[in-house]
């Protein structure tokens, strides 16, 4: 029998370790060094680092729990994420954060099979090639583009600073690489459209390969040969989670910060400058008005929340930030007791938009990490919607379930006798920010505001990348500031 529950990001049923619930403040006014707005990964990491430096810090969160979109669901024998599933150890700060948390939370890196990525084409999944031999043999790319890529190191460098990811990929690699490598990758990371995402904002490392080295291939070779410090080597690029699920990372940060420094369930949060710093006002769930005076304030919430949070910022500046569009996502967690021998020995499968499927991609968490499903079973995460299909957010549970069950049998080739033991549906109206051409104006507006109001830092995924590693690295930089 299928157990099914539809949930959204603001109303989760918590089966995992209890989160830090709001405690009524003991005083109506308090004074701190730094006030952090938002208890997602950026805010919690920032507060954790500041507290280690001896700063008096308080974190204020609107929701009744900490963690933001990170939320691990324990459903019977299955562990599934309702938000981000994994991160990449792209920067040494990721390893340093887990090390600083010591035994409170341990990093779990994905097993070797997670290096396999599948791409859907022509009615089945194919391995994304990992080397030159596989690159020649794969049916994903045309022979014309396979030979054309030999000339990639000699192509002229692009001159348009706002060139999109799709235009760059087509120019340097060819259309089949755009369709069957770049497009599904962008769908998997941003749930976005490569023809609208601007490379220097959405994929800055890729942009710099061409700008600094004139070529992706030459740039990759130069990066591989460049001397690395011991700290640089900590950025292993491995896929990671926290052992037992990402909520363990959130809870470890919350424990280290301390309940007395975490305010959840705060309504009507508003920041205004005052002599020597800032005043933050909010109302508790019990209707009590609270005031926090601080020298510095860090916001980590979404762009859509900033106008009400910072009413003193002139509208002409704020509009360049608050217009940031977030892709809507429907994530469906699926638990299967027995796959009947069907191998899902990969990180997951991505679906190019040109293949006209209803699923953006499928991740296989139980193939990457231990104890995410019963032996012989599987935990899967299906992703639907995105910028191309925002209407999926309004589909009924029955419609979404039918799509997922079709994909299980038609795409993953599970026998008809294999039925889901658990299905959980999570709707995220504002899931992933889209770094399009207007990002340049947004970055400039953020910089202007911060210069105009010293001690105010606008952080979070409105800038500097959307991945977990980006959030952690940004928190380290904010704490240094």
């Amino acid at each position: 029998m299928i157990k099914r529950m539809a949930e959204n990001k603001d109303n989760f049923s918590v089966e995992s370790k209890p989160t830090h619930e709001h405690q009524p403040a003991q005083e109506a006014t308090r004074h701190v060094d730094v006030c952090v707005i938002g208890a997602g990964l950026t805010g919690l990491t920032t507060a954790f680092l500041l507290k280690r430096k001896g700063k008096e810090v308080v974190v204020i969160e609107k929701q009744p729990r900490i963690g933001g979109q990170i939320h691990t669901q324990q459903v019977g024998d299955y562990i599934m994420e309702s938000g981000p599933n994994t991160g990449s150890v792209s920067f040494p700060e990721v390893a340093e954060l887990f090390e600083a948390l010591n035994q409170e939370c341990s990093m779990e890196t994905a097993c070797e099979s997670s290096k396999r990525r599948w791409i859907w084409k022509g009615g089945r999944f194919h391995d994304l090639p990992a080397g030159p031999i596989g690159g020649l043999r794969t049916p994903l790319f045309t022979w014309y583009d396979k030979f054309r890529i030999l000339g990639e190191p000699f192509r002229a460098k692009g001159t348009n600073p706002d060139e999109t990811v799709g235009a760059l990929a087509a120019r340097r690699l060819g259309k089949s690489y755009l369709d069957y490598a770049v497009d599904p990758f962008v769908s998997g990371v941003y749930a976005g459209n490569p023809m609208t995402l601007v490379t220097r904002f959405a994929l800055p490392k890729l942009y710099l390969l061409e700008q600094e080295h004139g070529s992706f291939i030459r740039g990759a070779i130069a990066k591989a040969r460049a001397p690395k410090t011991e700290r640089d080597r900590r950025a292993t690029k491995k896929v990671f989670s926290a052992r037992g699920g990402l909520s363990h990372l959130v809870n470890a940060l919350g424990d280290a910060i301390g309940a007395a420094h975490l305010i959840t369930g705060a309504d009507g949060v508003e920041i205004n400058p005052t002599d020597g710093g800032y005043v933050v006002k909010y109302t508790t769930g019990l209707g009590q008005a609270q005031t926090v005076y601080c020298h510095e304030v860090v916001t980590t919430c979404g762009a859509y929340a900033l106008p009400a949070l910072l009413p003193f910022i002139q509208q002409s500046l704020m509009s360049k930030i608050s217009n940031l569009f977030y892709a809507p996502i429907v994530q469906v967690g699926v638990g299967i007791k027995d796959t009947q021998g069907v191998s899902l020995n990969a990180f997951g499968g991505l679906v190019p938009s040109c293949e006209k499927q209803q699923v953006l991609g499928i991740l296989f968490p139980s193939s990457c990490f231990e104890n995410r499903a019963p032996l012989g079973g599987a935990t899967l995460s299906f992703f639907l919607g995105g910028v191309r299909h925002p209407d999926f957010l309004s589909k009924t549970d029955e419609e979404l379930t039918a799509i997922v069950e079709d994909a299980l049998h038609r795409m993953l080739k599970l026998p008809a006798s294999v039925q889901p033991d658990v299905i959980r549906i999570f709707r995220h109206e504002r899931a992933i920010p889209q770094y399009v051409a207007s990002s340049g104006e947004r970055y400039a507006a953020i910089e202007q505001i911060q210069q105009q109001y010293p001690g105010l830092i606008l952080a979070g995924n409105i800038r500097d990348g959307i991945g977990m590693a980006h959030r952690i690295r940004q928190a380290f930089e904010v704490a240094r500031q």
Side-chain angles (χ1 to χ4, degrees):
M1 179 179 180
I2 297 175
K3 292 166 279 186
R4 188 176 298 133
M5 179 179 291
E7 302 183 275
N8 60 46
K9 68 176 181 178
D10 297 326
N11 184 28
F12 286 117
S13 173
V14 180
E15 283 96 1
S16 55
K17 177 181 176 181
T19 54
H20 299 261
E21 298 296 334
H22 170 73
Q23 298 295 325
Q26 298 300 309
E27 54 185 18
T29 302
R30 65 193 296 179
H31 294 78
V32 298
D33 295 316
V34 184
C35 182
V36 177
I37 308 298
L41 182 58
T42 311
L44 292 174
T45 304
T46 300
F48 167 70
L49 296 169
L50 289 172
K51 192 165 184 286
R52 292 183 79 212
K53 293 170 68 172
K55 297 289 186 180
E56 182 67 21
V57 62
V58 65
V59 181
I60 299 176
E61 167 60 46
K62 179 181 180 179
Q63 300 303 321
R65 49 173 287 275
I66 64 173
Q69 294 207 27
I70 294 176
H71 195 181
T72 304
Q73 306 283 314
Q74 176 80 51
V75 189
D77 294 327
Y78 306 97
I79 294 177
M80 56 183 65
E81 305 285 356
S82 66
N85 276 254
T86 64
S88 171
V89 189
S90 306
F91 310 109
E93 286 88 347
V94 177
E96 290 166 354
L97 176 62
F98 278 93
E99 185 178 82
L101 289 169
N102 204 355
Q103 301 301 316
E104 298 302 315
C105 175
S106 59
M107 179 193 294
E108 183 178 10
T109 55
C111 60
E112 283 299 304
S113 65
S114 68
K115 292 182 178 179
R116 294 181 66 201
R117 262 73 166 175
W118 294 349
I119 302 293
W120 180 266
K121 184 179 183 180
R124 61 181 288 258
F125 279 114
H126 304 266
D127 278 341
L128 185 66
I133 301 301
L136 285 174
R137 292 176 175 173
T138 182
L140 293 174
F141 314 126
T142 65
W143 279 106
Y144 174 80
D145 284 343
K146 288 176 185 178
F147 285 110
R148 184 176 177 272
I149 205 170
L150 297 174
E152 193 276 335
F154 310 104
R155 292 197 180 98
K157 183 167 60 175
T159 58
N160 178 10
D162 288 334
E163 186 174 28
T164 66
V165 174
L168 173 63
R171 177 171 58 81
R172 296 210 68 87
L173 305 176
K175 189 175 186 302
S176 65
Y177 283 92
L178 166 61
D179 288 344
Y180 288 96
V182 175
D183 175 275
F185 170 78
V186 167
S187 290
V189 175
Y190 277 93
N193 184 343
M195 303 311 295
T196 59
L197 293 171
V198 172
T199 312
R200 67 186 174 109
F201 301 118
L203 298 173
K205 289 184 177 180
L206 186 67
Y207 177 77
L208 290 175
L209 282 181
E210 183 187 37
Q211 293 302 307
E212 294 180 352
H213 303 279
S215 157
F216 296 161
I217 294 174
R218 289 209 305 265
I221 293 172
K223 290 284 185 183
R225 290 176 175 174
K228 292 181 175 60
T229 66
E230 196 61 37
R231 185 170 186 264
D232 291 336
R233 293 190 185 94
R234 305 196 73 177
T236 62
K237 307 297 191 295
K238 290 183 177 180
V239 172
F240 80 89
S241 178
R243 194 164 299 279
L246 289 170
S247 280
H248 288 273
L249 172 58
V250 167
N251 288 328
L253 287 167
D255 290 341
I257 294 166
H261 303 278
L262 293 169
I263 304 296
T264 55
D267 291 326
V269 183
E270 185 176 298
I271 303 167
N272 281 288
T274 187
D275 292 339
Y278 295 86
V279 58
V280 182
K281 295 188 176 183
Y282 65 94
T283 304
T284 70
L286 300 177
Q288 299 171 324
Q290 303 289 316
T291 302
V292 177
Y293 292 95
C294 56
H295 300 300
E296 296 174 293
V297 63
V298 180
T299 72
T300 66
C301 51
Y304 47 85
L306 290 176
L309 185 67
L310 303 168
F312 61 92
I313 302 296
Q314 59 199 76
Q315 197 273 337
S316 60
L317 274 180
M318 182 55 72
S319 63
K320 295 175 182 178
I321 302 173
S322 60
N323 65 0
L324 177 59
F325 176 73
Y326 288 73
I329 290 288
V330 178
Q331 183 171 342
V332 183
V334 176
I336 298 173
K337 281 186 177 179
D338 186 356
T339 64
Q340 295 188 16
V342 174
S343 174
L344 299 173
N345 196 25
F347 179 74
L350 295 174
V351 183
S353 61
C354 64
E355 289 288 323
K356 307 299 183 186
Q357 300 295 309
Q358 293 184 293
V359 173
L360 295 175
I362 313 167
L363 298 184
F364 311 150
S366 56
S367 297
C368 300
F369 306 110
E370 296 179 352
N371 303 316
R372 300 292 174 107
L375 187 65
T379 298
L380 311 174
S381 287
F382 289 75
F383 295 87
L384 305 89
V387 297
R388 286 190 171 99
H389 302 286
D391 56 301
F392 273 51
L393 204 68
S394 59
K395 286 187 180 293
T396 66
D397 292 357
E398 289 72 21
E399 290 173 319
L400 294 169
T401 297
I403 292 171
V404 167
E405 290 180 341
D406 169 70
L408 283 173
H409 304 301
R410 182 175 56 84
M411 300 181 80
L412 296 182
K413 312 301 183 186
L414 289 169
S417 58
V418 174
Q419 294 296 319
D421 181 44
V422 169
I423 290 182
R424 282 288 178 93
I425 299 172
F426 310 103
R427 293 176 171 85
H428 303 276
E429 182 181 357
R430 298 185 181 105
I432 306 175
Q434 302 297 296
Y435 289 1
V436 296
S438 60
S439 295
E441 289 188 343
R442 183 174 70 257
Y443 278 41
I446 291 170
E447 183 62 27
Q448 185 175 340
I449 290 169
Q450 292 182 158
Q451 288 182 0
Q452 189 174 350
Y453 296 97
L456 172 63
I457 298 178
L458 306 185
N461 62 21
I462 61 173
R463 60 179 174 92
D464 301 338
I466 64 168
M468 292 179 63
H470 294 102
R471 302 292 88 242
I472 292 170
R473 182 176 67 162
Q474 186 191 69
F476 271 73
E477 179 57 30
V478 170
R480 290 189 192 103
Q481 293 180 36

